[in-house]
Amino acid sequence: MLEFFRTLTNNWDIFSRGFLTTLKLFVIGAVGSLTVGTILATMRVSPVPVLRGLGAAYVNIIRNTPLTLVFAFLVFAAPKLGIEIAFEPAAYTALTIYTAAFICETLRSGINTVPVGQGEAARALGMTFGQVLYLIVLPQAFRTVVPPLISMLNAMLKNTTVAAGFSVVEAGAIQAYLSERGENQVVTLFWITFGFLCFVVPLILLQRYLERRWAVVR
Amino acid sequence: MNSCRTASLMGMGVLAIVMALGACGKKDEPRAAGSTSAAVGTGDKCASSGVKLTPATDVKIEGSKTYDKIKGAGKIVVGVKADQPNLGYKDADGKRCGFDIEVAQLVAARIGIDPSKIEYKEIPSTNRETAIKGGEIDYYVGTYSITDKRKNDVGFAGPYFIAGQDLLVRKDESAITGKDTLQGKKVCSATGSTPLQRVREQKLTDDGNISEFKTYSECVSQLLDKKVDAVTTDDAILKGFAAQSPSKLKVIGQPFSQEKYGIGVAKDDTAFRNAVNDVLEAANKDGTWKKIYDGTLGLSGSSATQPPAERY
């Protein structure tokens, strides 16, 4: 039993470093993909056909590309094309590029739930497309998609572990380190799972809170 | 709607081109163009040292669970690596070759199993102990360093080779001559590996200058792209890569650690461990070990002698 806790305390340097990087990847990735995702969703519902097409193309390409491939492209292929990008920024970029496609679609489904009358009424008041979207439609859309949006972020949190294969030492790299130090693998994996739980539980609580607070009465 | 579809189709086309470009980049990694063409181990083609291994007939290993299992199944399951040129390698045609592979075959033949009956399993470093403990493999041959900590989980026959941590650099590199010249240089190694942890602990270079990938081949690719200045791990592994592209890479040759490679076996199976030790000792005496070495890892130009088995 003592051995069980020692796996954590003896290797605290690796655990803390790993999960700190995971947290960084998660926060920056979340901010990035929410921003890009919102812009993409705007493009996909905009009245300009070219923007709609670009948005759709982005979403369909990225959604059908494994995250590992996005990473591999940035880390291995990009330098050969003359684009230099350090490993950690590459990880932020890959996570943002990838998750934004899913955020975009989640948000678009939210936009579809906003009754047409809302938009029509706003337009009748003389609002422009931008005003209709950002003042009337998007706030309502965001409120309806809180649960799937948090699920998306949750998935991204776990996706951060892909970065371990591309020279970013986060939670996904802990196992390799501890196996080399001769620690019990089952115990190691338990502590990694436990660490992720520490991130996920607050996320779920946030979801519940936002759901209650932001519920749209229709 | 229609315009959407055209756009996304176009986008996919772009992606395909981009991916093709990426693939091109990989292709022009040196095939060690034509240098003594059939030279074993250069380029991506597998060839063996040519040592003939005929299965022994009168083998008896009393009280070995592993051996009973092997006899019962009529085949051996061996854990190996597949991405280490001239050590444990699998070429584009799916053929396996290298020093470790041939040592594995040697052991199989001498305990009475035809090497063609070997079922190879690629087990990454992190899962070796688990695979041996769980009986997933009968033994493991793949740059497996004997350490006291690992002895808690598995048994080791051997060592059959002694390696040391060294540095692989580009051929034209002159600033790096050993571990003490690494300050300010970019170093790459496998995620969490002992060589990497050693670089960190001894502060051979700044933390920010260390990059880590899952496999050494990814590090070598970074080295060729000039994104890192040196790749560090056991010299045996590095020599294998240097032998693969001798015109672009070289090994410094100043090892700063000692790694004894053993054959990983089940911890409590002393009978089997002794039997494998006997095989290694016999191969040392009759010159088979040297022939295997010269035909694989020895191609890098350095010679080696087999260390005596520890028989703990």
Side-chain angles (χ1 to χ4, degrees):
Chain A
M1 194 60 205
L2 210 64
E3 209 45 42
F4 184 79
F5 285 99
R6 260 198 210 129
T7 300
L8 183 68
T9 49
N10 284 355
N11 302 292
W12 183 246
D13 53 333
I14 304 284
F15 275 103
S16 56
R17 192 161 72 109
F19 274 104
L20 217 67
T21 313
T22 297
L23 184 67
K24 234 161 83 185
L25 285 171
F26 173 66
V27 171
I28 297 179
V31 172
S33 55
L34 280 173
T35 316
V36 179
T38 310
I39 296 170
L40 280 172
T42 314
M43 282 166 73
R44 291 210 68 178
V45 298
S46 86
V48 187
V50 179
L51 287 183
R52 277 207 308 271
L54 282 176
Y58 180 98
V59 167
N60 284 319
I61 292 167
I62 300 300
R63 244 189 339 186
N64 292 304
T65 310
L67 176 60
T68 318
L69 212 63
V70 180
F71 265 101
F73 177 79
L74 288 175
V75 174
F76 292 114
K80 290 189 162 61
L81 301 175
I83 307 161
E84 288 291 337
I85 176 164
F87 299 125
E88 239 183 77
Y92 301 140
T93 316
L95 283 170
T96 300
I97 288 177
Y98 182 79
T99 316
F102 296 90
I103 300 270
C104 161
E105 289 303 270
T106 308
L107 213 50
R108 202 166 61 91
S109 73
I111 293 173
N112 286 339
T113 66
V114 180
V116 192
Q118 294 275 333
E120 283 172 348
R123 260 202 305 283
L125 289 174
M127 288 185 178
T128 64
F129 170 74
Q131 284 172 320
V132 176
L133 199 64
Y134 288 105
L135 295 176
I136 310 295
V137 179
L138 270 183
Q140 294 186 63
F142 261 113
R143 290 169 169 207
T144 21
V145 295
V146 167
L149 212 55
I150 300 283
S151 291
M152 237 52 270
L153 293 181
N154 190 345
M156 196 202 73
L157 171 64
K158 285 173 277 186
N159 280 340
T160 56
T161 50
V162 173
F166 300 90
S167 200
V168 179
V169 183
E170 33 72 16
I174 293 175
Q175 195 213 352
Y177 273 85
L178 294 207
S179 130
E180 202 73 7
R181 289 186 180 185
E183 294 289 354
N184 184 320
Q185 294 294 289
V186 180
V187 179
T188 306
L189 288 176
F190 170 85
W191 284 116
I192 296 175
T193 313
F194 180 78
F196 272 104
L197 223 63
C198 294
F199 284 110
V200 172
V201 169
L203 211 57
I204 293 172
L205 292 178
L206 175 75
Q207 175 190 333
R208 296 240 175 92
Y209 171 77
L210 290 181
E211 261 185 276
R212 248 182 291 123
R213 196 136 172 220
W214 282 359
V216 186
V217 188
R218 286 209 180 109
Chain B
M1 191 57 218
N2 226 338
S3 68
C4 277
R5 200 195 265 162
T6 342
S8 57
L9 276 177
M10 266 163 55
M12 279 170 206
V14 169
L15 189 76
I17 293 167
V18 163
M19 277 149 111
L21 278 175
C24 282
K26 239 184 201 155
K27 219 181 275 164
D28 51 46
E29 258 163 48
R31 289 199 141 227
S35 60
T36 55
S37 62
V40 199
T42 45
D44 195 31
K45 275 274 177 228
C46 248
S48 73
S49 66
V51 173
K52 283 260 179 300
L53 296 167
T54 33
T57 43
D58 52 345
V59 185
K60 260 201 201 105
I61 304 176
E62 300 279 346
S64 162
K65 259 192 257 158
T66 314
Y67 186 67
D68 293 345
K69 193 181 134 213
I70 292 169
K71 268 287 158 200
K75 61 163 189 182
I76 293 187
V77 187
V78 180
V80 293
K81 287 187 175 163
D83 60 343
Q84 295 175 345
N86 294 316
L87 274 163
Y89 197 66
K90 186 179 177 184
D91 72 6
D93 302 331
K95 248 191 98 200
R96 290 181 194 274
C97 58
F99 181 62
D100 283 346
I101 302 286
E102 291 196 30
V103 168
Q105 291 170 344
L106 169 80
V107 172
R110 296 278 164 92
I111 62 169
I113 301 289
D114 194 295
S116 64
K117 294 266 171 59
I118 295 180
E119 185 186 322
Y120 295 99
K121 259 199 184 155
E122 284 158 35
I123 311 273
S125 294
T126 46
N127 300 343
R128 291 183 290 206
E129 286 82 22
T130 323
I132 294 172
K133 270 202 276 191
E136 209 182 306
I137 51 176
D138 297 321
Y139 55 87
Y140 188 97
V141 194
T143 61
Y144 199 9
S145 296
I146 303 174
T147 65
D148 288 338
K149 205 140 194 197
R150 283 178 185 156
K151 279 184 189 165
N152 293 333
D153 292 312
V154 300
F156 284 105
Y160 62 93
F161 191 76
I162 292 184
Q165 183 170 355
D166 210 330
L167 301 163
L168 178 77
V169 294
R170 287 181 295 272
K171 193 101 197 192
D172 53 12
E173 177 70 60
S174 55
I176 301 174
T177 54
K179 69 165 182 153
D180 299 320
T181 53
L182 280 179
Q183 285 308 335
K185 298 286 179 187
K186 290 193 174 127
V187 181
C188 189
S189 195
T191 309
S193 61
T194 310
L196 185 97
Q197 296 192 26
R198 191 173 288 129
V199 171
R200 274 226 167 84
E201 275 151 26
Q202 299 186 2
K203 300 201 185 317
L204 298 180
T205 188
D206 285 345
D207 244 21
N209 281 333
I210 299 173
S211 42
E212 39 195 291
F213 287 90
K214 262 186 239 133
T215 61
Y216 291 112
S217 40
E218 284 168 301
C219 274
V220 173
S221 155
Q222 297 280 314
L223 181 66
L224 290 166
D225 282 348
K226 301 193 173 170
K227 284 187 87 180
V228 301
D229 304 309
V231 178
T232 184
T233 182
D234 300 352
D235 53 0
I237 298 170
L238 299 178
K239 277 179 199 166
F241 282 109
Q244 210 176 27
S245 31
S247 58
K248 297 203 176 178
L249 301 172
K250 65 176 180 192
V251 179
I252 295 294
Q254 298 285 333
F256 49 98
S257 78
Q258 202 191 54
E259 308 291 336
K260 295 177 184 169
Y261 291 164
I263 296 176
V265 298
K267 192 191 174 199
D268 44 8
D269 202 338
T270 318
F272 189 71
R273 194 170 72 213
N274 282 332
V276 177
N277 275 329
D278 291 343
V279 170
L280 290 174
E281 225 152 52
N284 189 19
K285 278 199 193 115
D286 66 15
T288 317
W289 186 92
K290 191 168 182 337
K291 268 186 222 154
I292 290 177
Y293 177 83
D294 289 343
T296 51
L297 214 52
L299 292 173
S300 63
S302 53
S303 61
T305 46
Q306 186 189 354
E310 279 177 2
R311 294 187 181 273
Y312 57 91

